[in-house]
Amino acid sequence: MIEPLEQEIISHGDKSKIVPIDWFHMLENDINNLKSGTAVDEYTNYGLGKLYNFELPKLDFDIKSIIIVASPSPFFEVTFNYNGKETPLMLPPGCGDWIKKQNHIEKYLNDFLNPLDLHAKITFNMPQKILTVRSGLGIYGKNNVCYIDGMGSFFTIETFYSNIICADSTWHEIKRMDTCETCEICINNCPTKAITNENNIIRAGRCIVRYNEQVGEFPDWIEPTFHNCIVACIKCQYHCPNNKTYIKNYAEPVSFTEDETNDILKGKPIEELCDTTQKKLFAIDAQEYYRNLPRNLKVLFNNTWR
């Protein structure tokens, strides 16, 4: 059953690995080892404890495996009209379509599996990056980002509990790409100096992604010119030689009128915006980061993306 399912996933343009559910607690050991080591900073340690819950959920089927699906994700160019000026801004791969990807992948998996009395249920407590590398589907870059052959780092990863029997799978070593050993492009392009040569783990307390995605004012040490995306950050990935082949993959552009932009900047609740504006926001999965959008836009309107 595993091979036919993998072929079905390939037919949708995605890649996959299927691993035994026993791996779930092996991953817990990986996380605990990170937390007890010296490679992570205080913020990363806190995040590791908060993000992952290693208790299997109660589902309508016996969980026997984990399905890992990687799906290519494009850049999104989003234009805001403000003060009589068009300002094109960037939304990195994985930020503008991950909710749509979740729904799409779960649907096609179950369309294939359910007639065989098999099931797939999306997970929300999985350390997906480590799992992807452990499965052999991906490998780390020096920037703590996962890379997949044929996609670079421009993809979304979704994981699913399943009752497919998976008797065996290779537990791969955690390592980074050979090309990273003599390359420092991501280090040199990180605006906050969060990337180091020492290990695969970045200094998360310095990574601008953290501050773009959390509520509140930006710390004083973050200079306005550090910001380069609506959410997250793309500097280390955009300049990475391993992404050169995939850098021109763009989704259909989205543009907000001056009135729509002003409504967003005022912080209007998303449900109070006009239908057209809501439709555009949902097209870029902005419901997940909308609460920070007014703050982030105000900073970006003063910058030019490089």
Side-chain angles (χ1 to χ4, degrees):
M1 172 45 56
I2 290 179
E3 185 175 345
L5 177 58
E6 289 175 339
Q7 290 303 313
E8 175 68 14
I9 292 169
I10 289 172
S11 75
H12 289 269
D14 300 336
K15 292 190 172 190
S16 67
K17 286 284 186 179
I18 302 170
V19 301
I21 193 58
D22 293 348
W23 279 31
F24 191 58
H25 294 298
M26 295 165 69
L27 292 168
E28 183 178 13
N29 289 335
D30 274 347
I31 296 299
N32 287 336
N33 288 338
L34 276 176
K35 290 167 64 177
S36 63
T38 59
V40 299
D41 61 17
E42 182 179 353
Y43 173 77
T44 308
N45 202 316
Y46 170 75
L48 290 173
K50 189 175 181 180
L51 284 175
Y52 306 126
N53 170 24
F54 288 95
E55 292 185 10
L56 289 174
K58 293 182 179 179
L59 301 177
D60 294 334
F61 56 87
D62 292 332
I63 302 172
K64 297 179 180 177
S65 58
I66 304 167
I67 304 171
I68 312 161
V69 180
S71 185
S73 182
F75 284 90
F76 287 77
E77 184 175 272
V78 186
T79 298
F80 293 88
N81 286 270
Y82 181 62
N83 281 347
K85 179 183 176 183
E86 284 190 349
T87 305
L89 300 174
M90 192 64 58
L91 196 57
C95 293
D97 62 353
W98 70 277
I99 298 175
K100 292 186 285 293
K101 292 281 190 184
Q102 287 178 350
N103 297 332
H104 170 67
I105 296 169
E106 188 167 35
K107 182 180 185 305
Y108 80 63
L109 287 177
N110 282 304
D111 285 348
F112 181 82
L113 292 171
N114 290 172
L116 304 169
D117 198 26
L118 296 170
H119 308 276
K121 180 67 175 178
I122 196 161
T123 76
F124 295 104
N125 61 332
M126 192 72 63
Q128 294 176 331
K129 188 161 51 176
I130 293 179
L131 174 59
T132 302
V133 174
R134 284 296 197 188
S135 74
L137 180 60
I139 189 169
Y140 275 109
K142 187 177 287 186
N143 54 4
N144 197 35
V145 173
C146 185
Y147 288 74
I148 290 176
D149 187 37
M151 300 182 189
S153 64
F154 301 148
F155 57 84
T156 59
I157 284 285
E158 303 300 342
T159 50
F160 304 84
Y161 294 120
S162 179
N163 58 339
I164 295 173
I165 296 174
C166 180
D168 190 29
S169 194
T170 302
W171 179 260
H172 289 260
E173 177 187 356
I174 292 180
K175 63 179 183 178
R176 62 188 185 192
M177 296 179 288
D178 291 340
T179 53
C180 290
E181 299 311 312
T182 57
C183 180
E184 295 189 351
I185 289 176
C186 62
I187 293 177
N188 296 333
N189 280 280
C190 177
T192 59
K193 307 305 178 187
I195 306 170
T196 69
N197 265 313
E198 283 67 39
N199 51 61
N200 298 330
I201 308 299
I202 65 170
R203 299 164 62 198
R206 295 286 301 181
C207 183
I208 200 170
V209 173
R210 166 193 176 183
Y211 301 99
N212 264 338
E213 295 179 353
Q214 71 180 23
V215 177
E217 296 299 319
F218 293 116
D220 291 340
W221 61 265
I222 295 183
E223 297 179 17
T225 54
F226 289 174
H227 299 273
N228 55 87
C229 289
I230 296 170
V231 289
C233 179
I234 196 60
K235 288 289 189 178
C236 67
Q237 296 178 71
Y238 189 84
H239 295 281
C240 176
N242 291 286
N243 279 331
K244 186 177 181 180
T245 306
Y246 318 106
I247 207 74
K248 295 182 180 179
N249 182 18
Y250 277 78
E252 190 72 23
V254 175
S255 180
F256 291 88
T257 66
E258 184 126 3
D259 287 342
E260 290 173 329
T261 301
N262 284 326
D263 283 342
I264 292 170
L265 288 174
K266 291 173 185 174
K268 267 192 177 183
I270 197 167
E271 63 273 11
E272 294 180 12
L273 298 171
C274 73
D275 290 345
T276 303
T277 308
Q278 289 188 43
K279 185 177 179 180
K280 292 176 183 178
L281 289 169
F282 290 141
I284 55 174
D285 280 355
Q287 62 269 38
E288 289 301 311
Y289 51 85
Y290 181 74
R291 63 181 182 174
N292 293 335
L293 191 54
R295 178 201 63 183
N296 292 1
L297 287 180
K298 288 172 186 176
V299 175
L300 287 164
F301 284 155
N302 295 320
N303 298 333
T304 300
W305 185 79
R306 293 283 189 268

